[in-house]
Amino acid sequence: MPGLVHVVDDDASFRTAIERRLKLAGYDVKTYASAQDFLNAALDDEQPGCILLDVRIPGLSGPELQSRLIAAGSTLPIIFLTGHADTPTTVQAIKAGAEDFLTKPVSSELLLDAIARALARQDAARSHRGKLEAFRAHLATLTQRERQVFDLIVRGRINKQIAYELGTTERTVKAHRHQVMEKMQVHSLAELVSIAERLGMLDPNGR
Amino acid sequence: MPGLVHVVDDDASFRTAIERRLKLAGYDVKTYASAQDFLNAALDDEQPGCILLDVRIPGLSGPELQSRLIAAGSTLPIIFLTGHADTPTTVQAIKAGAEDFLTKPVSSELLLDAIARALARQDAARSHRGKLEAFRAHLATLTQRERQVFDLIVRGRINKQIAYELGTTERTVKAHRHQVMEKMQVHSLAELVSIAERLGMLDPNGR
DNA sequence: GGTGTCACTGCCCCAAAGGACAATATGAAG
DNA sequence: CTTCATATTGTCCTTTGGGGCAGTGACACC
């Protein structure tokens, strides 16, 4: 699987060496001397890739960069690479979702394995998010009223109840309901509920 | 949150010391000198508790015990505690779901924090699984035929189509459908679909 | 042979959903 | 003022879903 590997490390000779190794393996590579450099290079989160990140770098540390990226909603997988790993940092990084935590010097085998896993994982996550995004996009085209009707429909309310709760008539609800089905591009109540469930709109036990 | 902490360590004096500290903190404690001892003590997976597990112990190692427990479907959270942590082992343990990975000597603060988190996590997981189990139990009371009807209902088929696909009549499908709603204890199609979705019965795009 | 479960089915009726056709009202945008 | 989007509603008709009542047939178990 091809992809772009972002190498963030303050050691210039290390960057050069890694870049060479990764390019030999068929990956595109971009290097950064600091976390800030990386953040400045406004990057495309959707492009297949991952980050090879040193823990100890001047300025923003590796884990700090990880936090920022997570907070910013990035889904680029991160592989940490460090000279000396301490256990709490390792644990924290993995818990926060890092793909791996490797120590220098790293064998090409371990490194390439980790990169391959990271790219595979990102690919799976991206395609999954892609489907949800399509649903969200449809959902966004609903008007306020249609959205209210949608919420009640997927909770199992019948038109009569919805009409009462929204202070309108059954006929009106039917009209909105029709719009909802149309805009969400589904042909059955089951599909609609399924989508709502996947978007996490039903978790709290709303009966 | 009270709970039973299983301490697995081959160092008798360490076991004694830890047991004292944990009991002071209000936890019940059981100790084991080896992973095998622990496995032999056929334990209740549902009871609130966690495992404090040494990595290097004679016989089955800590990570090996972890694998076995996972394979056996156990959901007891594991906190590793070891004298000298190596990075690959740490990474693997956390990836496999360990709650934490601590090094001896461990401060009471870190240890008790980890235990509290482990118990909280297990509690959340257990209550979540509890709900799903209730659904599964209802699902298990369905006859073969009812189950087939269930599968088609939650995929959005209408009675007429279901009847055709099962080679029977619409009236019969209605009868089964009634039984399904009754046995699953739901009052709307939406609830039924919601349950099916949560049980992961709809993920593959079956239209 | 009696009993029970499960699957199947017809007839009839009511409730709910879907939709065609038509129309009113309101507020924002140009 | 005109246009557009949104929300609203009525009448009428068809399709679906839900269910009562009643009965048949297969098969397993005692």
Side-chain angles (χ1 to χ4, degrees):
Chain A
M1 186 155 1
L4 173 57
V5 181
H6 303 274
V7 178
V8 184
D9 198 300
D10 60 329
D11 180 341
S13 63
F14 175 82
R15 287 200 302 275
T16 310
I18 282 284
E19 180 168 10
R20 196 175 301 126
R21 283 162 73 181
L22 294 183
K23 284 197 168 169
L24 272 176
Y27 292 109
D28 291 327
V29 179
K30 283 190 182 172
T31 63
Y32 312 81
S34 73
Q36 200 54 55
D37 280 1
F38 177 78
L39 287 173
N40 290 340
L43 45 90
D44 179 7
D45 198 66
E46 281 308 300
Q47 187 186 336
C50 65
I51 309 176
L52 213 55
L53 179 58
D54 193 25
V55 173
R56 287 204 185 185
I57 38 181
L60 221 57
S61 77
E64 280 166 352
L65 176 58
Q66 182 187 31
S67 300
R68 294 248 190 138
L69 290 175
I70 291 172
S74 165
T75 58
L76 268 185
I78 298 176
I79 298 166
F80 280 100
L81 200 49
T82 185
H84 38 295
D86 68 290
T87 306
T89 302
T90 307
V91 169
Q92 178 50 38
I94 299 293
K95 275 193 181 179
E99 180 58 43
D100 214 334
F101 202 102
L102 306 173
T103 50
K104 299 178 187 176
V106 63
S107 74
S108 284
E109 189 189 348
L110 279 182
L111 180 59
L112 294 178
D113 274 2
I115 290 175
R117 276 201 313 276
L119 294 177
R121 193 164 65 111
Q122 194 216 14
D123 187 57
R126 205 178 47 245
S127 81
H128 183 253
R129 266 184 306 118
K131 291 175 191 170
L132 294 190
E133 278 317 308
F135 294 144
R136 279 192 223 284
H138 292 154
L139 203 58
T141 68
L142 298 184
T143 65
Q144 277 196 338
R145 207 52 160 169
E146 285 160 1
R147 177 54 190 274
Q148 292 176 321
V149 172
F150 171 90
D151 287 338
L152 293 170
I153 288 177
V154 296
R155 279 176 177 70
R157 303 288 202 290
I158 63 180
N159 290 344
K160 195 183 296 184
Q161 292 175 310
I162 297 174
Y164 178 74
E165 291 184 41
L166 296 185
T168 182
T169 66
E170 200 179 331
R171 184 63 192 84
T172 304
V173 173
K174 282 187 184 181
H176 288 319
R177 187 169 188 141
H178 178 78
Q179 282 298 106
V180 170
M181 301 293 280
E182 184 107 356
K183 288 185 176 178
M184 297 301 291
Q185 295 179 15
V186 296
H187 300 86
S188 70
L189 173 58
E191 285 178 79
L192 203 64
V193 175
S194 178
I195 288 174
E197 184 69 55
R198 287 177 206 188
L199 289 178
M201 307 177 66
L202 292 176
D203 288 316
N205 277 3
R207 68 142 324 219
Chain B
M1 186 154 4
L4 172 58
V5 181
H6 303 274
V7 178
V8 184
D9 198 303
D10 61 328
D11 180 342
S13 63
F14 176 81
R15 287 201 302 274
T16 310
I18 283 283
E19 181 169 8
R20 195 174 303 126
R21 283 163 71 182
L22 295 183
K23 285 196 168 168
L24 272 176
Y27 293 109
D28 290 327
V29 179
K30 282 189 182 173
T31 64
Y32 312 82
S34 75
Q36 199 55 55
D37 280 2
F38 176 77
L39 287 174
N40 290 340
L43 45 92
D44 179 7
D45 199 65
E46 282 309 299
Q47 187 188 335
C50 66
I51 309 176
L52 214 55
L53 179 58
D54 194 25
V55 173
R56 287 203 184 185
I57 39 181
L60 222 56
S61 77
E64 281 166 352
L65 175 58
Q66 182 186 30
S67 301
R68 295 246 189 142
L69 290 175
I70 291 171
S74 165
T75 58
L76 268 185
I78 298 176
I79 297 166
F80 281 99
L81 200 49
T82 185
H84 39 293
D86 68 289
T87 306
T89 302
T90 306
V91 170
Q92 178 51 38
I94 299 295
K95 276 192 180 179
E99 178 58 43
D100 214 333
F101 202 102
L102 307 174
T103 49
K104 300 178 189 176
V106 64
S107 74
S108 283
E109 188 188 350
L110 280 181
L111 180 59
L112 294 178
D113 274 2
I115 290 175
R117 275 200 314 275
L119 294 176
R121 192 164 65 110
Q122 193 215 15
D123 188 56
R126 205 178 48 245
S127 82
H128 184 252
R129 266 182 306 118
K131 291 175 191 170
L132 294 190
E133 279 316 309
F135 293 144
R136 277 191 223 286
H138 291 154
L139 204 59
T141 68
L142 298 183
T143 65
Q144 278 195 337
R145 207 51 160 171
E146 285 160 0
R147 175 56 188 273
Q148 292 176 320
V149 172
F150 172 91
D151 287 336
L152 293 170
I153 288 177
V154 296
R155 279 176 177 71
R157 302 289 203 288
I158 62 180
N159 290 343
K160 195 182 293 186
Q161 292 175 310
I162 297 174
Y164 178 74
E165 290 185 41
L166 297 184
T168 182
T169 67
E170 202 179 327
R171 184 62 190 82
T172 304
V173 172
K174 283 185 183 181
H176 289 318
R177 187 169 188 142
H178 177 77
Q179 282 298 106
V180 169
M181 301 293 280
E182 183 108 354
K183 288 185 176 177
M184 296 302 290
Q185 296 178 14
V186 295
H187 300 88
S188 70
L189 173 57
E191 284 179 78
L192 203 64
V193 175
S194 179
I195 287 174
E197 185 69 54
R198 287 177 205 188
L199 289 178
M201 306 176 67
L202 292 176
D203 288 316
N205 276 4
R207 66 141 325 217

